[in-house]
Each structure stands twice: as C-alpha cells, then as structure tokens.
Amino acid sequence: MSTKKPHKSALKNQEGVSIDEITNPAAIAKFKAKRNKDISAKKLAHAIIKGDITALSRAITLIESANPDHTAKANEVLNLCLPHANNSIRIGITGVPGVGKSTFIEVLGNTIATSKNKLAVLAVDPSSSVTKGSILGDKTRMENLVKNKNVYIRPSAAGNSLGGVARKTRESIILCEACGFKTILIETVGVGQSETAVHSMVDFFLLLKLAGAGDELQGIKRGIIELADAIVINKADGDNLQKAKIAKTEFKRALHLYPPKNNGWIPKVLLTSAIENKGVDEAWSLIETYLKISKSDDYFNIKRIEQNKFWLYQTIEDSLKSNFYHHKKVKEELQLQLKAIELNETTPFAAAQYLLTLL
Ligand code: GDP
C-alpha cells in the first residue's frame, strides 16, 4: 500500500497522466499508439460497420501509420471491412489551388449529404510529400461542411510518395464505405500526377477550371482534360462571367479532340459560381445522370474491376520499388554508383543493371 499522502491541491496531475504526456509530441504519439493497441482489429471493424466515426478515424490513423504493427492491424481491419464496402459512389474533384475546390465541395456537400446519403470527403495531397507543406491542408477549409453531422471530412493522408498517399486513400475509401458512407468525394490538387491516381479510384472525375487563367492549353497538353468526365468552370460570376462563357465554348471544342469514354459518354462543360451557389446543383444532376447511365449498362462495375486490376499492378510496382530502395546493400552500392557516374566511370544503364542484381 502507498504511504504517500493524497494531494489536497486541485492543481495535482491526474493519476497516470504526466504533464510530459500532455505536451510532449513523442509522448502523445506513444499514448495514441497505446490507445490504438487497446482495441482489437475485430472490435474496431465491428464498430466501423455499425457506423462508429471514432472507430473509423482510429482505423484510418492505423492505415496512415508507418509502424509495421499498425499496418498489420490495419490490414486485418480492412479485410474484415471489405465485404461491407463497395456500396457507394466515388467522385474525384481536382483543380489548381485557388480554383475554388473547398468552396465548391462545401456547397455540393451540403446539397447531397443527408442521413440516408452520408458523405465522406478525403483528400490526396501529394504536395505535403514533395514540398513538406500541404497545399490542401494548411488553411481552414470547409468550415460549414465540418458542422454537418452527415459528413465526415478527413484531411490528407501523410506519406513520402504519391504511391503511399494514394494507397492510404484507397484503403480509407474501403473503411468509409464499410462505415455506411454512400458518397465519397476525393479531392486533389494538380500536382505530381495526383490526378491520375485519383482518376483511377473514382467513378466520376470532375475537373474544376478558371476562365482565362491561361492554362487551358496546358491542361490539354498534360492530358488532364482527357481524364475528366466533366469540366466545371468556376468563378463564373461578376466581371468574370463573360470570360467564363467564352472558356466554356473553348473547352467544348477542345473536348471534341478526344474520343468519347468507353461507355460512349461525352464529357460535359458547366459554369458555376460556388460562392454564389449557382450551377452546383446542375453539376450534381449531371453526376447523377452519368452514374445512372453507367450503372444501367454495367459500365460502373466493369470500370471498378479495371481499377482494381490497375491497383494490383500499382501496388506490386510500389512494393518492388520500396523493397529495392530500402535494401541495405542497394543503399550502399547506389551511392558508389552515383559517384561513379559523376566521375564518368560507368553508364546509368550499367549501374542500374548492376544494382538490380543485388536484390
Ligand atoms: P481551393 O484552393 O481550390 O480549395 O479554393 P478555395 O475554395 O479556397 O477558394 C479560393 C478563393 O476563391 C477563396 O477566396 C474563395 O472565396 C474564392 N472563390 C471560390 N469560389 C468562388 C466563386 O465561385 N466565385 C468567386 N468570385 N470566388 C470564389
């Protein structure tokens, strides 16, 4: 039995929680890890399937963790959730920073989210791995949508490669679906091929654009337009309205350069003013029409199966690459080969071939 006198002061620490645990980031991480360890994968999965948002957030944190124990547990949760997933529509939204993505999603989200159609908003933000800062996450975003009880917003997954971030987002989609979310919006910025990654995980891909930003041709060159199921020219208001109308004609013309989608769909161009809540309802109707058409001829399922096949290859490639670069011998020899290239003592091809034999 303890001989210590009990504290009389109200300023005493709670038993078992030191100041260090409250203020020290490493201690906080340890505390969170411990909390995640406490609940079994089975319990976590059951809670998610019942619609428990806290369990969902915990499981997504496990997915995002670099700790191998967490990854193993996350995989277990994912396997248990998988039979309950797939029952949703997934919509990708992309556009340069400042085009109005969060404003648009806020309006769209409040239109579509109901108790029968719960909405999850996930973000793919590769900028955080490229620039160590987040383009999507740094500002306060979607302040109104956050308050909507039928909406779950999860900021961008952390990761040091687009492949990693994209995988985590795909796995988060599965958990959100198992948790009962019927619509999943996945937002991304047009950085480092993130559009391609998002395009390959959604049923409908929407490209937000600005009129007269001089990037129309760039978009065409970079092939983003080819990916879009709809182009929405935002900020079609005030002095910008006329320019937006002209841009609409230009985009329509540009879209004719591409063949229709595999299901015969010809991408549409719309004007919106997210800030004035104009045109967003029409954008939603268009998405609904598209989904109705693609579900009626089974294109919806065929596309998802194709996407899963793509992700199988993608995962193999990511994993081969990661194993290669983390291999101890490769790490050492890579530096020597880089030096040899600097000194013109070898060719990149010979060096690569040699390094590949080390695995
Ligand atoms: P994001 O970086 O793509 O998420 O863009 P935001 O939604 O944060 O919007 C960037 C800026 O554009 C903000 O100041 C918004 O208020 C403004 N904005 C967004 N949509 C519209 C719109 O439809 N019309 C006008 N005039 N401004 C808008």
Side-chain angles (χ1 to χ4, degrees):
M1 218 177 100
S2 168
T3 52
K4 265 188 185 172
K5 275 188 196 164
H7 283 279
K8 285 271 174 350
S9 164
L11 294 172
K12 78 175 175 75
N13 291 335
Q14 284 290 332
E15 199 178 319
V17 181
S18 68
I19 288 295
D20 188 48
E21 275 176 311
I22 299 166
T23 53
N24 177 339
I28 290 171
K30 208 171 137 195
F31 172 73
K32 281 189 178 167
K34 192 169 158 246
R35 189 189 61 183
N36 274 327
K37 232 183 217 164
D38 289 341
I39 179 164
S40 72
K42 217 172 174 178
K43 274 194 182 153
L44 207 49
H46 281 163
I48 291 170
I49 294 158
K50 276 194 190 141
D52 183 334
I53 302 296
T54 314
L56 173 66
S57 290
R58 271 191 186 192
I60 295 180
T61 305
L62 285 177
I63 285 176
E64 290 172 355
S65 168
N67 177 333
D69 288 347
H70 292 172
T71 309
K73 190 164 169 182
N75 285 338
E76 220 180 305
V77 176
L78 274 166
N79 278 335
L80 292 165
C81 284
L82 203 54
H84 303 268
N86 222 23
N87 185 18
S88 78
I89 51 169
R90 308 167 183 167
I91 300 159
I93 296 185
T94 191
V96 294
V99 69
K101 289 181 297 301
S102 25
T103 314
F104 181 87
I105 292 173
E106 184 137 61
V107 180
L108 181 69
N110 276 319
T111 307
I112 60 183
T114 60
S115 56
K116 288 211 173 96
N117 186 18
K118 290 202 290 166
L119 169 73
V121 182
L122 306 174
V124 172
D125 185 0
S127 52
S128 51
S129 55
V130 178
T131 61
K132 305 289 172 219
S134 162
I135 295 178
L136 286 172
D138 279 353
K139 48 190 174 148
T140 315
R141 315 178 80 242
M142 304 178 216
E143 280 169 341
N144 278 320
L145 201 58
V146 169
K147 293 180 205 148
N148 188 323
K149 63 177 185 343
N150 298 312
V151 178
Y152 174 72
I153 301 179
R154 180 79 184 190
S156 177
N160 47 20
S161 70
L162 173 60
V165 175
R167 179 181 60 75
K168 289 166 188 179
T169 309
R170 268 189 66 81
E171 293 178 346
S172 302
I173 292 175
I174 293 171
L175 298 186
C176 288
E177 290 177 350
C179 196
F181 288 90
K182 292 276 179 278
T183 305
I184 321 272
L185 283 185
I186 299 138
E187 177 192 12
T188 191
V189 275
V191 176
Q193 299 297 308
S194 63
E195 294 109 337
T196 318
V198 171
H199 176 257
S200 59
M201 57 177 95
V202 296
D203 308 310
F204 189 93
F205 192 67
L206 194 148
L207 174 61
L208 275 188
K209 282 273 175 190
L210 291 175
D215 64 348
E216 284 88 344
L217 275 172
Q218 238 185 58
I220 293 169
K221 274 192 204 142
R222 288 180 53 213
I224 304 166
I225 289 183
E226 202 174 356
L227 301 178
D229 296 306
I231 295 173
V232 167
I233 301 162
N234 192 35
K235 305 198 186 181
D237 46 45
D239 293 346
N240 222 12
L241 182 59
Q242 209 46 39
K243 268 198 282 178
K245 284 181 178 167
I246 295 168
K248 183 177 173 182
T249 317
E250 281 175 12
F251 276 118
K252 268 187 160 172
R253 202 177 303 141
L255 284 170
H256 278 293
L257 298 172
Y258 299 102
K261 305 277 165 185
N262 289 345
N263 62 339
W265 174 261
I266 296 169
K268 306 289 182 293
V269 188
L270 293 178
L271 297 182
T272 58
S273 169
I275 215 151
E276 291 179 6
N277 193 354
K278 283 187 188 147
V280 183
D281 284 353
E282 283 84 346
W284 178 235
S285 304
L286 182 74
I287 296 171
E288 283 189 309
T289 307
Y290 173 90
L291 293 168
K292 209 182 268 174
I293 295 172
S294 66
K295 277 184 176 171
S296 68
D297 60 7
D298 214 34
Y299 179 71
F300 187 87
N301 287 325
I302 294 167
K303 188 169 166 183
R304 281 202 175 180
I305 290 166
E306 286 308 313
Q307 289 178 336
N308 282 339
K309 288 182 182 169
F310 168 83
W311 281 99
L312 170 67
Y313 281 114
Q314 197 66 37
T315 311
I316 292 171
E317 275 166 39
D318 287 347
S319 148
L320 285 174
K321 217 163 141 183
S322 160
N323 289 346
F324 177 73
Y325 285 112
H326 284 97
H327 192 274
K328 193 165 169 276
K329 187 86 179 139
V330 170
K331 267 191 194 167
E332 291 163 10
E333 287 292 318
L334 180 59
Q335 294 311 314
L336 298 177
Q337 291 299 318
L338 286 169
K339 196 82 210 156
I341 284 174
E342 263 176 45
L343 299 171
N344 236 350
E345 287 171 358
T346 185
T347 66
F349 312 103
Q353 247 168 4
Y354 166 68
L355 290 168
L356 286 164
T357 61
L358 297 175
L359 205 59

